[in-house]
Amino acid sequence: MKKIAILGSTGSIGTQTVDILPSINAEVVALTTNKRIKLLEEQARLLRPKMVCAYDEQAARALAIALADTDIQVLSGMDGLVACAAASGADIVVTAVVGMIGLLPTLAAIEAGLDIALANKETLVCAGELVMRAARERGVRILPVDSEHSAIFQCMQAAGCNRADKLLLTASGGPFFGKSAAEMRSVTREQALAHPNWSMGAKITIDSATMMNKGLELIEAMWLYDMAPEDIEIVVHRESIVHSAVEFADGSVIAQLGLPDMRLPIQYALTYPQRLPCKTPRMHLTEIAKLTFYAPDEAAFPALMLARRAAAQKGDRGAVLNGANEAAVGLFLQDKIAFGEIAERVAKALDGISYQKNATLDDLLAADKAARALAMA
Ligand code: NDP
Ligand code: MG
């Protein structure tokens, strides 16, 4: 039986991971939240992990009281997250926290030789080079949960010893497909949170509206599959049925299809190389009937160009792009800045923070901090 730690178990990916557990043969050894302790307590009573963590100190104190009648260890803060990742006896860690807060626990799990089911894309955007090197050195597998990267991973099963020529990364286009930058400038929080195809956490939903999500995914794919960013094409595909595709040297394109439901890529990351029955509804091509594809509008969605720039430069640019974006999205979610200002603040950070090529972990953490400060100013 596989032992699983779920970081961010109270979020969108976390709860869907808990949802598919009965379909796979698994034992949960750790669960974490930031503040949603009521839900974490329910999950802990159901799954009986060895340890849990609430990142927020006050929430952790309340959680310890709530779980006082159990033998579950209650931890808090970054030390708690790292312990849940690396010292809970897990074989595989689902990284489903949102933001670069996931970086240190992911690195700790890799150092401990544990496989990673990676949802937390910000970790790879910030420190892809470091994380992938550590994984190679420790012989750890990074199994993608993000639907596009899972699709590419599944297509790669057909590659044999061949390298991919090109990745086709599909994008739904979000709620503002077809709008100009001027039309989008002052859209509301509610409009931006209304994603047409996927129900996800607030931060990634805003990233989908600005299309920064696809920019982050471009960088995620670059590191996961060792591809040059110019060999990754972004294709807008409104129906979210083709989850991504890979083109090979002979021109053959292999794609992965399915209804938009994260439970399938989550389950595949946890059962790979096995495929087990999954409770997601089945797709019927005749009901879908038509699939459409468009080139992305880079003038309307400047986040795409910013991410391409960071991808091409590497070094500390991913940390700067991501840190500034996390801060700006936070401000937008608090109604403090306009939608159109998110990308502007990311651009300001990329322009304002001097470039560092061979960045260490400390350099990346410093770049993240500086980018947040600049984006908040
Ligand atoms: P959610 O916001 O729904 O959940 C995030 C989880 O992380 C929650 O458990 C939350 O706790 C916890 N968390 C938030 N802040 C902190 C913090 N400072 N310290 C520790 N834990 C924290 O996010 P999603 O599930 O949507 O996304 C998670 C990750 O997966 C992201 O990186 C996202 O990009 C990626 N992803 C998500 C997809 C989706 O469909 N949702 C699809 C593909 C990728 P609390 O409940 O207390 O807030
Ligand atoms: Mg995705």
Side-chain angles (χ1 to χ4, degrees):
M1 193 183 278
K2 212 171 236 181
K3 294 196 170 77
I4 303 182
I6 310 173
L7 309 185
S9 63
T10 54
S12 165
I13 293 291
T15 51
Q16 293 180 86
T17 305
V18 171
D19 192 38
I20 56 111
L21 286 175
S23 315
I24 64 178
N25 194 17
E27 176 192 341
V28 171
V29 291
L31 297 168
T32 82
T33 185
N34 183 25
K35 291 184 177 174
R36 243 180 296 177
I37 52 168
K38 196 80 210 125
L39 178 55
L40 195 91
E41 184 194 342
E42 278 170 34
Q43 292 178 335
R45 288 194 183 278
L46 177 74
L47 301 166
R48 292 284 161 172
K50 190 162 127 194
M51 54 177 80
V52 297
C53 169
Y55 185 79
D56 182 85
E57 304 280 342
Q58 206 180 331
R61 280 194 291 276
L63 184 61
I65 294 168
L67 291 174
D69 63 315
T70 71
D71 57 0
I72 300 169
Q73 195 182 351
V74 180
L75 306 168
S76 70
M78 184 50 79
D79 290 348
L81 268 186
V82 167
C84 283
S88 56
D91 305 310
I92 184 162
V93 181
V94 180
T95 64
V97 295
V98 58
M100 75 82 76
I101 198 90
L103 174 57
L104 297 180
T106 305
L107 280 173
I110 294 171
E111 288 305 327
L114 312 179
D115 284 342
I116 308 290
L118 184 115
N120 179 231
K121 65 190 82 180
E122 293 90 347
T123 281
L124 278 191
V125 173
C126 283
E129 194 166 356
L130 246 128
V131 169
M132 295 308 289
R133 192 192 310 135
R136 269 193 310 275
E137 284 170 2
R138 294 291 286 126
V140 156
R141 294 190 297 196
I142 311 272
L143 299 153
V145 167
D146 210 348
S147 56
E148 297 77 2
H149 305 74
S150 172
I152 294 166
F153 181 58
Q154 293 178 60
C155 299
M156 290 292 197
Q157 315 295 324
C161 56
N162 301 292
R163 250 192 87 82
D165 243 25
K166 195 169 147 188
L167 305 182
L168 301 167
L169 193 65
T170 53
S172 72
F176 305 133
F177 171 76
K179 286 201 191 311
S180 68
E183 286 169 323
M184 266 182 273
R185 180 145 188 95
S186 303
V187 292
T188 65
R189 207 178 96 105
E190 284 61 39
Q191 288 169 311
L193 283 172
H195 197 280
N197 301 354
W198 299 93
S199 161
M200 312 177 283
K203 192 260 175 185
I204 184 177
T205 307
I206 301 302
D207 285 344
S208 301
T210 60
M211 289 197 77
M212 181 58 92
N213 183 50
K214 214 46 58 179
L216 301 180
E217 289 183 354
L218 172 100
I219 300 176
E220 184 185 11
M222 167 178 98
W223 291 122
L224 276 174
Y225 301 108
D226 189 24
M227 292 292 290
E230 57 274 21
D231 294 332
I232 306 174
E233 183 182 344
I234 295 171
V235 180
V236 176
H237 165 50
R238 296 294 285 159
E239 296 82 6
S240 297
I241 295 293
V242 176
H243 296 308
S244 278
V246 177
E247 187 177 312
F248 293 97
D250 55 1
S252 177
V253 175
I254 299 202
Q256 188 259 338
L257 283 71
L259 295 176
D261 191 320
M262 286 308 296
R263 289 174 299 180
L264 195 144
I266 295 169
Q267 179 170 310
Y268 189 63
L270 292 173
T271 64
Y272 170 79
Q274 256 192 309
R275 286 189 185 272
L276 297 180
C278 187
K279 51 158 81 168
T280 56
R282 295 291 165 113
M283 177 190 72
H284 300 286
L285 279 177
T286 49
E287 281 169 18
I288 294 161
K290 200 168 110 189
L291 298 173
T292 58
F293 303 93
Y294 305 89
D297 181 349
E298 298 206 348
F301 296 96
L304 289 173
M305 276 176 318
L306 297 172
R308 280 218 179 266
R309 196 172 122 193
Q313 289 184 299
K314 303 193 177 68
D316 67 352
R317 293 297 94 174
V320 171
L321 177 92
N322 180 72
N325 182 59
E326 281 191 38
V329 170
L331 290 175
F332 174 72
L333 283 170
Q334 295 165 46
D335 286 325
K336 289 190 176 150
I337 62 170
F339 184 77
E341 270 178 89
I342 299 174
E344 286 169 13
R345 287 182 184 232
V346 176
K348 190 171 84 173
L350 285 171
D351 290 338
I353 296 170
S354 56
Y355 171 64
Q356 206 165 350
K357 188 170 161 50
N358 296 310
T360 63
L361 178 59
D362 284 341
D363 296 333
L364 295 176
L365 296 174
D368 167 77
K369 205 167 158 197
R372 283 170 200 267
L374 206 59
M376 299 286 280

